[in-house]
């Protein structure tokens, strides 16, 4: 196929750029036209590593449109986030590029989009990486798209690499996609957050089939950003600072938190202080997320208080600030998030308020991210034994893995070819699979090194910093292996603190009062998990399934707080920490926590006051549970029924597991002693059922069912903490 000569191509590309930007004087940044030329004139494979706001999307929009004008098929752009797709489709249309997207948020539009593709009315098609493993999409759409593809774009390409800070197993499918492309189809990968190790990994995958890969790497420093770190210690002081100084930050922005609970707590506190903010987390409804994004873009709110759910792809060029309540676990991830600010403004403020709880949170996420040999063997064994495809729910009932980690593991196994998603569920392929322990150990070690680097970033400018380590921007870009890393002259270590450091007493007291709030509701379980019959869990000889009868359900319960809460979370994590050998540490309920429990009871708006207390016997923390239950009974002058009876064969419960296996492990573990049953039959009123920690909610469900069956009018679960 003939292509334009370079001079003509330069003129055509510049004309499209000016349409895209709406500026008749627009010119290319260094490297932009070079990438376009490589793709359109030479049909090469290019990896572009450039800072956020450089204009990577302009490269692929212009290349896609020029390829279409030369007679090629539509560009296929693999894009990771729905927010990114919405913004990119809108940007494409402004440039006269006919764009469409296929993802989980627009299922009702798929048929119309398929018709537009058939009519050759689409220039650019965005797909989420998850679509690449969808059986129907792979069978019905992908072959035609690959056959006609005029350009393949991999956006946020660091997701391909498990060395990257945001590795996504679905992205590994792109390796196969690249090898299936017809000869001469150019490939573009773009990212702003890749160090040399990630760049090499991505380039190696792009080179599939023996192709050369052109890497275009620019300086990553962002001249508009003014970086700072303010150590304030307690969550109350950090939130008080933010409540007092949020309005002084320029424009509108994002306040990032490490956990969903922290984001929700912070948003509630800031709203109570009179700030216009909205939460944005993985628990936020999809429609509410989109509305929150639009509110921020229109400057109708001062900030979104968000988790990493608001990350790659959110596009607000005039975002004035990014504040972190707690540090991400790596400088690379931090750079990616702060890169949302100051893309089209001369200056933007970036401030990190690190927390003492950060390391615990990093550890929790890290230990839940990696597959293990035992879990992989369990999944492969269950699929091999099945005579039909297994749905996620059916597979969950056969392996001792929770839903989230199970989905992640299936994606890893699918990428390695050991399992496959088909109509009706998952099947094993029979291909051998070997757990690459050495590789995962290297990745885990890299994660630890990244955490240490993040702590070093926080120490810059102090007497604990390494010699020569001062500038924050230079440090971040050096962590990304940017050869252009140099002092910025703007950050707090180069030019001195630019932010106030004071927190006034009234605001601090108000923050403390809000964070000291106790009494988080615990919703009751209403349905038994599927698959209990396959695990031998029966009730009176019948399979246990469907709705839990109302007469066997517990009522809504309470805990003092969640382990991830900003207020009580830290103290509760210390209480439930294990010793050096990994064993539970048992002790009496601390007086401060005991008073908090009484505040929970005082604020509990139950329909009827409880009349008695029973508790779940504990192998790991018997003193803690016993003193909690007896203390509550004494303070409330409630009848002390004692503990449920523990089976003599009971062993310590394993950590977090999926619902079906947890019910199996609990079934037959407890019984109601005869003396307790006699008392329950004569009591009129609710029974408090006490435990130390609520995780899956199945312990309270199973134990509470026994109390209901023994005659309790209702059961009110009460514990010190909940997980998540």
């Amino acid at each position: 196929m003939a292509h334009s000569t370079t001079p003509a191509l330069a003129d055509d590309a510049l004309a499209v750029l000016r349409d895209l930007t709406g500026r008749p004087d627009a010119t290319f940044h260094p490297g932009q036209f070079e990438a376009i030329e490589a793709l359109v004139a030479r049909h090469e494979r290019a990896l572009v590593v450039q800072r956020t706001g450089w204009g990577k999307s302009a490269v692929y929009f212009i290349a896609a449109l020029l390829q279409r004008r030369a007679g090629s098929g539509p560009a296929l752009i693999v894009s990771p986030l729905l927010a990114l797709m919405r913004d990119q489709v809108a940007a494409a249309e402004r440039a006269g590029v006919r764009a469409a997207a296929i993802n989980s948020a627009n299922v009702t539009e798929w048929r119309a989009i398929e018709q537009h593709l058939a009519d050759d009315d689409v220039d650019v098609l965005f797909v989420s990486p998850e679509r690449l493993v969808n059986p129907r999409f792979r069978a019905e759409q992908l072959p035609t798209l690959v056959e006609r593809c005029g350009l393949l774009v991999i956006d946020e390409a660091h997701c391909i690499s498990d060395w990257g800070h945001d590795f996504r197993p679905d992205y590994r499918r792109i390796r196969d996609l690249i090898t299936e492309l017809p000869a001469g189809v150019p490939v573009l990968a773009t990212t702003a957050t890749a160090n040399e190790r990630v760049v090499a990994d991505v380039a190696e995958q792009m080179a599939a089939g023996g192709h050369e890969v052109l890497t275009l790497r620019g300086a990553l420093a962002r001249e508009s950003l003014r970086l700072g770190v303010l150590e304030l210690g307690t969550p109350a002081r950090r939130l008080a600072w933010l409540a007092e100084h949020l309005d002084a930050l320029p424009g509108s922005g994002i306040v990032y938190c490490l956990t969903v609970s922290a984001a929700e707590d912070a948003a509630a506190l800031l709203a109570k202080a009179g700030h216009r903010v909205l939460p944005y987390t993985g628990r936020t409804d999809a429609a509410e997320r989109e509305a929150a994004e639009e509110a921020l873009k229109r400057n109708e709110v001062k900030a979104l208080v968000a988790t990493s759910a608001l990350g790659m792809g959110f596009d607000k060029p005039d975002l004035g600030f990014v504040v972190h309540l707690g540090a991400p676990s790596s400088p690379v991830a931090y750079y990616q998030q702060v890169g949302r600010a100051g893309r089209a403004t001369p200056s933007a403020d970036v401030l990190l308020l690190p927390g003492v709880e950060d390391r615990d949170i990093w550890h929790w996420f890290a230990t839940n991210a990696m597959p293990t040999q035992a879990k992989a063997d369990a999944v492969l064994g269950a699929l091999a034994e099945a005579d039909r495809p297994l749905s996620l729910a059916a597979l969950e009932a056969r392996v001792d893995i929770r839903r989230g980690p199970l989905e992640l593991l299936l994606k890893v196994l699918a990428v390695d070819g050991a399992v496959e998603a088909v109509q009706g569920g998952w099947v094993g392929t029979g291909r051998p699979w070997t757990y690459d322990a050495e590789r995962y150990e290297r990745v885990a070690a890299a994660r630890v090194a990244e955490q240490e680097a993040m702590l070093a970033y926080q120490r810059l400018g102090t007497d604990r910093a390494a010699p020569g380590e001062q500038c924050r921007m230079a440090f971040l870009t050096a962590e990304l292996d940017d050869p252009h890393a140099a002092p910025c002259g703007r950050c707090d270590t180069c030019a001195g603190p630019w932010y106030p450091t004071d927190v006034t007493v009234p605001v601090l007291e108000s923050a403390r009062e809000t964070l000291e709030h106790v009494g988080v509701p615990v919703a009751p379980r209403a349905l038994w998990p599927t698959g209990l019959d396959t695990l031998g869990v029966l009730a009176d000889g019948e399979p246990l399934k469907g709705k839990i009868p109302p007469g066997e359900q517990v009522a809504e319960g309470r805990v003092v707080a969640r382990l991830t809460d900003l207020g009580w979370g830290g103290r509760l994590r210390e209480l439930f920490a294990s010793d050096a050998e990994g064993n539970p540490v048992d002790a009496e309920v601390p007086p401060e926590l005991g008073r908090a429990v009484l505040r929970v009871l005082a604020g509990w708006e139950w329909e009827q006051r409880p009349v008695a207390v029973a508790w779940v016997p504990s192998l790991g923390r018997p003193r803690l549970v016993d003193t909690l239950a007896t203390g509550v009974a004494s303070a409330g002058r409630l009848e002390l029924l004692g503990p449920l009876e523990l089976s003599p064969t009971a062993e310590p419960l394993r950590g977090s597991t999926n619902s079906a296996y947890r019910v199996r492990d609990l079934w037959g573990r407890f019984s109601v002693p005869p003396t307790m049953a006699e008392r329950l039959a004569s009591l009129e009123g609710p029974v408090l059922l006490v435990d130390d920690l609520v995780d899956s909610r199945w312990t309270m469900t199973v134990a509470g069912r026994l109390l209901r069956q023994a005659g309790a009018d209702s059961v009110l679960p009460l514990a010190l903490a909940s997980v998540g």
Side-chain angles (χ1 to χ4, degrees), residues 176-223:
D176 301 331
L177 186 59
I178 291 173
T179 62
E180 295 167 3
L181 290 173
V185 175
V187 179
L188 171 67
T190 67
T191 181
T193 49
N195 56 24
E196 287 293 346
R197 183 166 49 196
V198 174
V199 168
D201 191 12
V202 173
E204 181 182 352
Q205 295 181 57
M206 291 181 66
H211 292 266
E212 293 290 327
V213 177
L214 171 68
T215 299
L216 296 169
R217 184 160 196 163
L220 297 178
R222 295 282 306 282
E223 295 180 0

Side-chain angles (χ1 to χ4, degrees), residues 567-614:
W568 280 91
R571 283 165 285 184
L572 288 167
R573 286 195 298 272
E574 290 178 7
L575 180 69
F576 287 101
S578 302
D579 62 18
E581 284 74 39
N583 300 311
V585 177
D586 193 22
E588 294 186 358
V589 177
E592 181 187 29
L593 188 53
R595 291 190 291 271
V597 171
L598 296 182
R599 286 166 48 204
V600 172
L601 295 171
W604 196 339
E605 296 178 350
W606 42 52
E607 294 182 4
Q608 186 179 358
R609 190 178 189 274
V611 296
V613 177

Side-chain angles (χ1 to χ4, degrees), residues 212-543:
E212 293 290 327
V213 177
L214 171 68
T215 299
L216 296 169
R217 184 160 196 163
L220 297 178
R222 295 282 306 282
E223 295 180 0
S224 62
L225 300 185
R226 183 168 59 162
L227 304 174
V229 175
L230 178 57
E231 298 269 2
L232 290 168
T234 67
R237 286 186 62 82
R238 284 180 281 147
L239 279 172
W241 185 94
L242 196 55
E244 193 157 356
H245 301 292
L246 180 63
D247 281 341
L249 292 171
S252 55
I254 301 171
V255 177
Y256 276 112
C257 300
L258 296 186
T259 67
V260 172
S261 298
E264 292 173 346
D265 288 349
L269 184 145
L270 292 172
K272 181 181 176 182
H275 297 288
R276 293 175 300 132
V277 299
L278 290 172
Y280 189 109
T281 75
R283 276 204 290 251
T284 307
D285 179 77
E288 292 178 358
R289 281 200 205 186
E290 188 171 350
E293 292 169 18
E294 291 303 316
L296 182 60
K297 288 177 182 177
R298 293 192 297 265
N299 296 317
E300 295 171 355
V301 294
K302 181 66 177 179
L304 297 187
V305 186
T307 62
S308 58
L310 182 65
M312 292 181 299
F314 177 74
D315 185 19
K316 178 176 167 59
D318 63 341
L319 199 74
F321 66 88
V322 171
V323 174
H324 278 76
L325 289 174
S329 60
S330 79
V332 179
Y334 184 63
Y335 175 88
Q336 190 269 327
Q337 289 183 346
V338 303
R340 304 267 66 80
R343 295 175 61 177
T345 58
S347 64
D349 289 344
V350 171
L351 186 63
L352 171 61
L353 307 177
V356 293
E357 71 278 6
D358 293 351
R359 287 197 196 201
D360 291 339
I361 295 170
W362 297 344
H363 177 72
W364 189 88
F365 281 117
T367 54
N368 280 271
M370 292 289 180
T372 66
Q373 178 77 63
K375 290 180 178 179
D377 288 345
V379 169
L380 294 173
L383 292 176
E385 293 171 3
D387 57 1
R388 56 182 173 81
L390 295 180
S391 67
L392 194 61
L395 184 57
E396 187 181 18
R398 289 167 168 78
V399 295
D400 191 8
I401 309 172
R402 296 183 77 168
R403 178 68 61 95
L406 177 58
E407 287 183 293
L408 182 65
L409 178 56
L410 283 168
K411 290 177 180 180
V412 171
L413 293 173
V415 165
D416 291 338
V419 304
E420 185 178 12
V422 298
Q423 201 71 34
W426 291 86
V427 296
T429 63
R431 292 171 59 178
W433 185 83
T434 303
Y435 180 76
D436 194 344
E438 182 181 351
R439 177 164 167 255
Y440 285 120
E441 286 172 3
R442 292 199 309 270
V443 173
R447 295 287 183 266
V448 172
E450 289 171 349
Q451 294 174 11
E452 292 302 319
M454 197 65 219
L455 296 173
Y457 172 81
Q458 296 171 32
R459 292 193 296 267
L460 297 180
T462 71
D463 55 7
R464 295 178 294 154
E469 287 187 353
Q470 294 299 323
C471 175
R472 297 199 189 277
M473 182 60 75
F475 183 94
L476 290 180
T477 52
E479 283 295 312
L480 284 153
D481 297 323
D482 181 3
H484 308 284
C488 69
R490 299 178 306 279
C491 69
D492 59 353
T493 58
C494 285
W498 45 265
Y499 41 80
T501 59
D502 60 298
V503 177
T504 59
V505 172
V507 179
L508 178 58
E509 289 303 316
S510 177
R512 283 176 177 159
E513 181 181 339
T514 300
L515 291 180
E516 286 297 309
H517 173 75
V518 294
V520 176
V522 178
R525 291 279 192 180
L527 297 170
W528 293 114
T530 58
L532 289 177
D533 53 338
T534 66
L535 298 178
V537 180
L538 304 174
D540 299 323
E542 296 295 324

